[in-house]
PDB file of all heavy atoms in Angstrom:
ATOM      1  N   LYS A 904     -13.167   7.294  -0.595  1.00  0.00           N
ATOM      2  CA  LYS A 904     -14.243   6.314  -0.414  1.00  0.00           C
ATOM      3  C   LYS A 904     -13.705   4.900  -0.564  1.00  0.00           C
ATOM      4  O   LYS A 904     -14.306   3.950  -0.096  1.00  0.00           O
ATOM      5  CB  LYS A 904     -15.350   6.533  -1.425  1.00  0.00           C
ATOM      6  CG  LYS A 904     -14.876   6.243  -2.831  1.00  0.00           C
ATOM      7  CD  LYS A 904     -15.954   5.891  -3.784  1.00  0.00           C
ATOM      8  CE  LYS A 904     -15.272   5.519  -5.094  1.00  0.00           C
ATOM      9  NZ  LYS A 904     -16.114   5.220  -6.161  1.00  0.00           N
ATOM     10  N   ARG A1002     -23.784   8.267 -16.755  1.00  0.00           N
ATOM     11  CA  ARG A1002     -24.062   8.561 -15.352  1.00  0.00           C
ATOM     12  C   ARG A1002     -24.442  10.029 -15.267  1.00  0.00           C
ATOM     13  O   ARG A1002     -25.338  10.472 -15.957  1.00  0.00           O
ATOM     14  CB  ARG A1002     -22.854   8.169 -14.496  1.00  0.00           C
ATOM     15  CG  ARG A1002     -23.208   7.956 -13.038  1.00  0.00           C
ATOM     16  CD  ARG A1002     -22.077   7.302 -12.258  1.00  0.00           C
ATOM     17  NE  ARG A1002     -21.028   8.244 -11.871  1.00  0.00           N
ATOM     18  CZ  ARG A1002     -20.002   7.921 -11.089  1.00  0.00           C
ATOM     19  NH1 ARG A1002     -19.878   6.696 -10.605  1.00  0.00           N
ATOM     20  NH2 ARG A1002     -19.083   8.813 -10.787  1.00  0.00           N
ATOM     21  N   PHE A1032     -15.795  12.006 -14.604  1.00  0.00           N
ATOM     22  CA  PHE A1032     -15.378  10.641 -14.278  1.00  0.00           C
ATOM     23  C   PHE A1032     -15.696   9.748 -15.462  1.00  0.00           C
ATOM     24  O   PHE A1032     -16.808   9.787 -15.988  1.00  0.00           O
ATOM     25  CB  PHE A1032     -16.103  10.137 -13.026  1.00  0.00           C
ATOM     26  CG  PHE A1032     -15.824   8.688 -12.735  1.00  0.00           C
ATOM     27  CD1 PHE A1032     -14.600   8.302 -12.211  1.00  0.00           C
ATOM     28  CD2 PHE A1032     -16.769   7.716 -13.004  1.00  0.00           C
ATOM     29  CE1 PHE A1032     -14.317   6.959 -11.968  1.00  0.00           C
ATOM     30  CE2 PHE A1032     -16.500   6.368 -12.757  1.00  0.00           C
ATOM     31  CZ  PHE A1032     -15.273   5.995 -12.234  1.00  0.00           C
ATOM     32  N   SER A1077      -9.448   8.494 -12.724  1.00  0.00           N
ATOM     33  CA  SER A1077      -9.773   7.354 -11.891  1.00  0.00           C
ATOM     34  C   SER A1077      -8.462   6.568 -11.809  1.00  0.00           C
ATOM     35  O   SER A1077      -7.464   7.009 -12.372  1.00  0.00           O
ATOM     36  CB  SER A1077     -10.840   6.536 -12.605  1.00  0.00           C
ATOM     37  OG  SER A1077     -10.368   6.213 -13.914  1.00  0.00           O
ATOM     38  N   THR A1078      -8.472   5.410 -11.181  1.00  0.00           N
ATOM     39  CA  THR A1078      -7.215   4.653 -11.134  1.00  0.00           C
ATOM     40  C   THR A1078      -6.676   4.337 -12.538  1.00  0.00           C
ATOM     41  O   THR A1078      -5.502   4.588 -12.813  1.00  0.00           O
ATOM     42  CB  THR A1078      -7.403   3.378 -10.284  1.00  0.00           C
ATOM     43  OG1 THR A1078      -7.614   3.807  -8.941  1.00  0.00           O
ATOM     44  CG2 THR A1078      -6.218   2.441 -10.375  1.00  0.00           C
ATOM     45  N   ARG A1094      -7.918  12.203  -9.438  1.00  0.00           N
ATOM     46  CA  ARG A1094      -8.636  11.669  -8.276  1.00  0.00           C
ATOM     47  C   ARG A1094      -8.669  10.132  -8.250  1.00  0.00           C
ATOM     48  O   ARG A1094      -9.740   9.547  -8.165  1.00  0.00           O
ATOM     49  CB  ARG A1094     -10.095  12.168  -8.277  1.00  0.00           C
ATOM     50  CG  ARG A1094     -10.294  13.659  -8.355  1.00  0.00           C
ATOM     51  CD  ARG A1094     -11.789  13.974  -8.324  1.00  0.00           C
ATOM     52  NE  ARG A1094     -12.541  13.115  -9.180  1.00  0.00           N
ATOM     53  CZ  ARG A1094     -12.742  13.304 -10.484  1.00  0.00           C
ATOM     54  NH1 ARG A1094     -12.260  14.391 -11.078  1.00  0.00           N
ATOM     55  NH2 ARG A1094     -13.434  12.445 -11.204  1.00  0.00           N
ATOM     56  N   GLY A1096      -8.683   6.425  -6.762  1.00  0.00           N
ATOM     57  CA  GLY A1096      -9.060   5.885  -5.453  1.00  0.00           C
ATOM     58  C   GLY A1096      -8.491   4.498  -5.235  1.00  0.00           C
ATOM     59  O   GLY A1096      -7.733   4.234  -4.299  1.00  0.00           O
ATOM     60  N   GLN A1097      -8.831   3.603  -6.170  1.00  0.00           N
ATOM     61  CA  GLN A1097      -8.473   2.192  -5.958  1.00  0.00           C
ATOM     62  C   GLN A1097      -6.982   1.909  -6.075  1.00  0.00           C
ATOM     63  O   GLN A1097      -6.522   0.848  -5.674  1.00  0.00           O
ATOM     64  CB  GLN A1097      -9.212   1.328  -6.979  1.00  0.00           C
ATOM     65  CG  GLN A1097     -10.725   1.395  -6.830  1.00  0.00           C
ATOM     66  CD  GLN A1097     -11.416   0.555  -7.882  1.00  0.00           C
ATOM     67  OE1 GLN A1097     -11.570  -0.651  -7.723  1.00  0.00           O
ATOM     68  NE2 GLN A1097     -11.815   1.166  -8.975  1.00  0.00           N
TER      69      GLN A1097
HETATM   70  C1  LIG B 191     -16.206  10.889  -9.269  1.00  0.00           C
HETATM   71  C2  LIG B 191     -15.165   9.848  -9.073  1.00  0.00           C
HETATM   72  N1  LIG B 191     -13.878  10.217  -9.060  1.00  0.00           N
HETATM   73  C3  LIG B 191     -12.885   9.327  -8.878  1.00  0.00           C
HETATM   74  C4  LIG B 191     -13.169   7.978  -8.688  1.00  0.00           C
HETATM   75  C5  LIG B 191     -12.030   7.019  -8.452  1.00  0.00           C
HETATM   76  O1  LIG B 191     -11.880   6.058  -9.474  1.00  0.00           O
HETATM   77  P1  LIG B 191     -11.191   4.661  -9.179  1.00  0.00           P
HETATM   78  O2  LIG B 191     -12.116   3.960  -8.242  1.00  0.00           O
HETATM   79  O3  LIG B 191     -11.060   3.971 -10.484  1.00  0.00           O
HETATM   80  O4  LIG B 191      -9.886   4.917  -8.561  1.00  0.00           O
HETATM   81  C6  LIG B 191     -14.500   7.552  -8.702  1.00  0.00           C
HETATM   82  C7  LIG B 191     -14.819   6.139  -8.528  1.00  0.00           C
HETATM   83  O5  LIG B 191     -15.936   5.677  -8.632  1.00  0.00           O
HETATM   84  C8  LIG B 191     -15.522   8.507  -8.901  1.00  0.00           C
HETATM   85  O6  LIG B 191     -16.821   8.156  -8.931  1.00  0.00           O
END
Side-chain angles (χ1 to χ4, degrees):
K904 67 156 185 183
R1002 201 168 80 174
F1032 174 74
S1077 55
T1078 293
R1094 306 181 315 275
Q1097 297 178 83

